[in-house]
Amino acid sequence: MSTGPGVDTGTRERILDAAAEAFQLQGFGSATIDDVAEQVGATKGLIYYHFRSKFDLFLAVYEEGMRRVRAKVEPHARGDGTGCERLVAMSVAHVTNLMTDLAYHHVVHEGVRAQSSTALKDRQREALRSLNKLRRDYEHMFHRVVSEGIADGSLRAPDSALATRTLLSSLNAVDMWYRKIDDQPDDAVSDLAGEIVDLLIGGIATRPEAD
Protein backbone atom coordinates (compact mmCIF):
# COMPACT_ATOMS: atom_id res chain seq x y z
CA MET A 1 0.00 0.00 0.00
CA SER A 2 2.93 2.35 0.58
CA THR A 3 4.90 4.07 -2.12
CA GLY A 4 8.47 5.28 -2.49
CA PRO A 5 11.74 3.61 -1.67
CA GLY A 6 13.17 3.28 1.81
CA VAL A 7 9.89 3.36 3.72
CA ASP A 8 10.34 4.58 7.30
CA THR A 9 8.33 2.01 9.24
CA GLY A 10 8.11 4.22 12.33
CA THR A 11 6.62 7.09 10.34
CA ARG A 12 4.30 4.74 8.51
CA GLU A 13 3.02 3.30 11.79
CA ARG A 14 2.36 6.79 13.17
CA ILE A 15 0.43 7.67 10.01
CA LEU A 16 -1.66 4.50 10.24
CA ASP A 17 -2.43 5.11 13.92
CA ALA A 18 -3.47 8.70 13.21
CA ALA A 19 -5.57 7.67 10.21
CA ALA A 20 -7.33 4.95 12.19
CA GLU A 21 -8.27 7.50 14.86
CA ALA A 22 -9.46 10.00 12.25
CA PHE A 23 -11.57 7.43 10.39
CA GLN A 24 -13.10 6.25 13.65
CA LEU A 25 -13.95 9.69 14.99
CA GLN A 26 -15.03 11.38 11.75
CA GLY A 27 -15.80 8.56 9.35
CA PHE A 28 -13.97 7.95 6.09
CA GLY A 29 -16.01 10.51 4.16
CA SER A 30 -15.37 13.39 6.55
CA ALA A 31 -11.78 12.71 7.60
CA THR A 32 -9.13 14.42 5.49
CA ILE A 33 -5.44 13.94 4.81
CA ASP A 34 -4.92 17.28 6.57
CA ASP A 35 -6.53 15.78 9.71
CA VAL A 36 -4.13 12.85 9.60
CA ALA A 37 -1.12 15.07 8.95
CA GLU A 38 -2.01 17.35 11.85
CA GLN A 39 -2.28 14.35 14.19
CA VAL A 40 1.11 13.04 13.04
CA GLY A 41 2.67 16.51 13.28
CA ALA A 42 3.72 16.54 9.65
CA THR A 43 2.72 17.98 6.32
CA LYS A 44 0.22 16.23 4.09
CA GLY A 45 3.04 15.88 1.58
CA LEU A 46 4.58 13.29 3.90
CA ILE A 47 1.30 11.36 3.96
CA TYR A 48 1.12 11.38 0.17
CA TYR A 49 4.74 10.21 0.02
CA HIS A 50 3.68 6.98 1.71
CA PHE A 51 0.13 6.66 0.35
CA ARG A 52 -1.24 7.69 -3.04
CA SER A 53 -4.69 8.68 -1.79
CA LYS A 54 -6.96 8.74 1.23
CA PHE A 55 -8.54 5.51 0.03
CA ASP A 56 -5.14 3.79 -0.20
CA LEU A 57 -4.49 4.97 3.35
CA PHE A 58 -7.84 3.52 4.44
CA LEU A 59 -6.94 0.17 2.86
CA ALA A 60 -3.57 0.18 4.63
CA VAL A 61 -5.27 0.81 7.98
CA TYR A 62 -7.70 -2.05 7.28
CA GLU A 63 -4.83 -4.38 6.36
CA GLU A 64 -2.82 -3.41 9.44
CA GLY A 65 -5.85 -3.96 11.67
CA MET A 66 -6.27 -7.49 10.31
CA ARG A 67 -2.53 -8.19 10.63
CA ARG A 68 -2.46 -7.12 14.27
CA VAL A 69 -5.45 -9.12 15.42
CA ARG A 70 -4.38 -12.25 13.54
CA ALA A 71 -0.88 -12.05 15.02
CA LYS A 72 -2.43 -12.08 18.52
CA VAL A 73 -5.06 -14.77 17.90
CA GLU A 74 -3.52 -17.32 15.53
CA PRO A 75 -0.92 -18.75 17.97
CA HIS A 76 -3.78 -19.82 20.27
CA ALA A 77 -5.62 -21.52 17.39
CA ARG A 78 -2.51 -23.62 16.72
CA GLY A 79 -1.74 -24.27 20.38
CA ASP A 80 -2.41 -27.18 22.70
CA GLY A 81 -5.62 -27.93 24.56
CA THR A 82 -9.19 -28.81 23.75
CA GLY A 83 -11.19 -26.91 21.18
CA CYS A 84 -12.95 -25.03 23.98
CA GLU A 85 -9.69 -24.08 25.69
CA ARG A 86 -8.20 -22.79 22.45
CA LEU A 87 -11.43 -20.96 21.57
CA VAL A 88 -11.40 -19.19 24.93
CA ALA A 89 -7.77 -18.13 24.47
CA MET A 90 -8.47 -16.94 20.91
CA SER A 91 -11.52 -14.99 22.01
CA VAL A 92 -9.72 -13.30 24.89
CA ALA A 93 -6.91 -12.30 22.52
CA HIS A 94 -9.47 -11.00 20.01
CA VAL A 95 -11.32 -8.84 22.54
CA THR A 96 -8.08 -7.60 24.12
CA ASN A 97 -6.90 -6.54 20.67
CA LEU A 98 -10.25 -4.90 19.97
CA MET A 99 -10.03 -2.82 23.13
CA THR A 100 -6.36 -1.97 22.57
CA ASP A 101 -6.72 -1.15 18.86
CA LEU A 102 -10.31 0.04 18.90
CA ALA A 103 -9.87 2.49 16.02
CA TYR A 104 -8.42 -0.20 13.74
CA HIS A 105 -11.28 -2.51 14.58
CA HIS A 106 -13.74 0.22 13.62
CA VAL A 107 -12.03 0.70 10.25
CA VAL A 108 -12.25 -3.03 9.48
CA HIS A 109 -15.99 -2.92 10.15
CA GLU A 110 -16.40 0.20 8.04
CA GLY A 111 -14.52 -1.51 5.21
CA VAL A 112 -16.86 -4.50 5.33
CA ARG A 113 -19.90 -2.23 5.09
CA ALA A 114 -18.35 -0.02 2.42
CA GLN A 115 -17.95 -2.82 -0.12
CA SER A 116 -21.61 -2.52 -1.16
CA SER A 117 -21.38 1.26 -1.65
CA THR A 118 -22.26 2.44 -5.14
CA ALA A 119 -19.87 5.37 -4.67
CA LEU A 120 -16.83 3.11 -4.95
CA LYS A 121 -14.94 2.71 -8.17
CA ASP A 122 -14.35 -0.80 -9.50
CA ARG A 123 -10.69 -0.69 -8.42
CA GLN A 124 -11.64 0.34 -4.92
CA ARG A 125 -14.34 -2.29 -4.60
CA GLU A 126 -11.95 -5.00 -5.79
CA ALA A 127 -9.31 -3.89 -3.27
CA LEU A 128 -11.89 -4.12 -0.49
CA ARG A 129 -12.93 -7.58 -1.67
CA SER A 130 -9.33 -8.75 -1.28
CA LEU A 131 -9.13 -7.38 2.26
CA ASN A 132 -12.52 -8.76 3.18
CA LYS A 133 -11.19 -12.17 2.14
CA LEU A 134 -8.54 -11.77 4.84
CA ARG A 135 -11.36 -11.18 7.31
CA ARG A 136 -13.24 -14.28 6.12
CA ASP A 137 -10.08 -16.38 6.44
CA TYR A 138 -9.75 -15.07 9.99
CA GLU A 139 -13.35 -16.05 10.77
CA HIS A 140 -12.74 -19.50 9.25
CA MET A 141 -9.94 -20.00 11.78
CA PHE A 142 -12.52 -19.61 14.56
CA HIS A 143 -14.92 -21.91 12.74
CA ARG A 144 -12.26 -24.61 12.50
CA VAL A 145 -11.54 -24.49 16.23
CA VAL A 146 -15.26 -24.54 17.07
CA SER A 147 -15.66 -27.62 14.86
CA GLU A 148 -12.71 -29.27 16.58
CA GLY A 149 -14.22 -28.47 19.97
CA ILE A 150 -17.50 -30.09 18.98
CA ALA A 151 -15.58 -33.13 17.74
CA ASP A 152 -13.55 -33.51 20.95
CA GLY A 153 -16.62 -32.99 23.13
CA SER A 154 -15.50 -29.77 24.82
CA LEU A 155 -18.17 -27.71 22.99
CA ARG A 156 -21.82 -28.63 22.61
CA ALA A 157 -23.01 -26.36 19.78
CA PRO A 158 -25.29 -28.24 17.35
CA ASP A 159 -24.25 -26.01 14.41
CA SER A 160 -20.60 -24.96 14.22
CA ALA A 161 -21.20 -22.20 11.65
CA LEU A 162 -24.03 -20.66 13.68
CA ALA A 163 -21.98 -20.87 16.88
CA THR A 164 -19.02 -19.18 15.20
CA ARG A 165 -21.09 -16.35 13.71
CA THR A 166 -22.90 -15.75 16.99
CA LEU A 167 -19.68 -15.75 18.99
CA LEU A 168 -17.78 -13.40 16.68
CA SER A 169 -20.67 -10.97 16.30
CA SER A 170 -21.00 -10.84 20.09
CA LEU A 171 -17.26 -10.34 20.57
CA ASN A 172 -17.18 -7.59 17.95
CA ALA A 173 -20.18 -5.86 19.52
CA VAL A 174 -17.95 -4.86 22.43
CA ASP A 175 -16.92 -1.85 20.33
CA MET A 176 -20.49 -0.53 20.71
CA TRP A 177 -19.94 0.29 24.38
CA TYR A 178 -16.25 0.00 25.24
CA ARG A 179 -14.22 3.21 25.34
CA LYS A 180 -10.57 3.52 26.26
CA ILE A 181 -9.72 4.88 29.68
CA ASP A 182 -6.55 6.93 29.99
CA ASP A 183 -3.77 5.02 31.76
CA GLN A 184 -5.91 1.87 32.01
CA PRO A 185 -3.49 -0.95 32.96
CA ASP A 186 -2.99 -3.77 30.47
CA ASP A 187 -4.04 -6.26 33.16
CA ALA A 188 -7.38 -4.49 33.55
CA VAL A 189 -8.02 -4.77 29.80
CA SER A 190 -7.11 -8.47 29.80
CA ASP A 191 -9.29 -9.15 32.86
CA LEU A 192 -12.28 -7.44 31.26
CA ALA A 193 -11.74 -9.41 28.05
CA GLY A 194 -11.69 -12.62 30.08
CA GLU A 195 -14.96 -11.78 31.81
CA ILE A 196 -16.66 -11.03 28.48
CA VAL A 197 -15.45 -14.28 26.91
CA ASP A 198 -16.50 -16.29 29.97
CA LEU A 199 -20.03 -14.93 29.61
CA LEU A 200 -20.20 -15.69 25.88
CA ILE A 201 -18.55 -19.10 25.65
CA GLY A 202 -20.24 -20.41 28.76
CA GLY A 203 -23.31 -21.04 26.62
CA ILE A 204 -21.58 -23.52 24.32
CA ALA A 205 -19.00 -25.07 26.65
CA THR A 206 -19.66 -28.64 27.79
CA ARG A 207 -20.71 -28.69 31.41
CA PRO A 208 -19.35 -31.40 33.74
CA GLU A 209 -22.04 -33.88 34.73
CA ALA A 210 -23.08 -33.84 38.36
CA ASP A 211 -22.09 -36.86 40.45
Side-chain angles (χ1 to χ4, degrees):
M1 300 293 178
S2 59
T3 61
V7 174
D8 180 342
T9 55
T11 299
R12 187 177 190 275
E13 183 174 349
R14 292 199 304 275
I15 292 172
L16 292 177
D17 288 347
E21 292 288 342
F23 294 146
Q24 178 191 23
L25 295 174
Q26 300 169 244
F28 174 75
S30 298
T32 67
I33 292 294
D34 284 323
D35 294 327
V36 177
E38 181 177 358
Q39 182 68 23
V40 174
T43 65
K44 65 180 180 181
L46 178 66
I47 312 300
Y48 282 122
Y49 173 79
H50 289 281
F51 303 96
R52 292 185 301 168
S53 68
K54 185 175 76 167
F55 187 75
D56 286 300
L57 178 55
F58 178 85
L59 293 177
V61 172
Y62 187 150
E63 186 174 29
E64 176 66 8
M66 289 304 309
R67 185 197 67 78
R68 290 187 183 189
V69 69
R70 183 148 196 154
K72 296 294 186 182
V73 172
E74 189 167 20
H76 299 293
R78 300 180 180 277
D80 297 325
T82 65
C84 182
E85 289 168 342
R86 285 181 287 131
L87 185 65
V88 168
M90 292 166 66
S91 299
V92 170
H94 178 91
V95 177
T96 301
N97 173 267
L98 182 156
M99 293 189 292
T100 303
D101 284 335
L102 189 61
Y104 281 90
H105 182 82
H106 175 85
V107 169
V108 170
H109 273 201
E110 188 171 353
V112 172
R113 292 190 296 266
Q115 184 174 301
S116 60
S117 171
T118 58
L120 292 180
K121 298 177 181 178
D122 289 343
R123 178 186 70 84
Q124 296 172 332
R125 189 172 288 105
E126 185 57 37
L128 273 181
R129 285 197 189 100
S130 296
L131 287 177
N132 284 337
K133 183 179 183 303
L134 293 180
R135 179 187 55 82
R136 289 193 298 272
D137 290 344
Y138 178 77
E139 293 173 354
H140 180 73
M141 181 172 59
F142 274 83
H143 185 204
R144 175 175 56 80
V145 173
V146 168
S147 298
E148 291 169 355
I150 293 172
D152 68 26
S154 61
L155 297 174
R156 60 185 182 88
D159 184 323
S160 59
L162 177 62
T164 304
R165 286 194 296 268
T166 301
L167 174 63
L168 281 173
S169 62
S170 299
L171 295 175
N172 289 332
V174 171
D175 74 352
M176 298 293 293
W177 55 265
Y178 177 78
R179 294 296 178 268
K180 289 184 178 181
I181 301 173
D182 289 342
D183 300 322
Q184 186 176 24
D186 291 343
D187 288 348
V189 174
S190 298
D191 290 345
L192 177 57
E195 292 175 18
I196 293 167
V197 171
D198 184 60
L199 287 171
L200 294 175
I201 295 186
I204 59 174
T206 301
R207 297 183 178 88
E209 294 184 4
D211 294 334

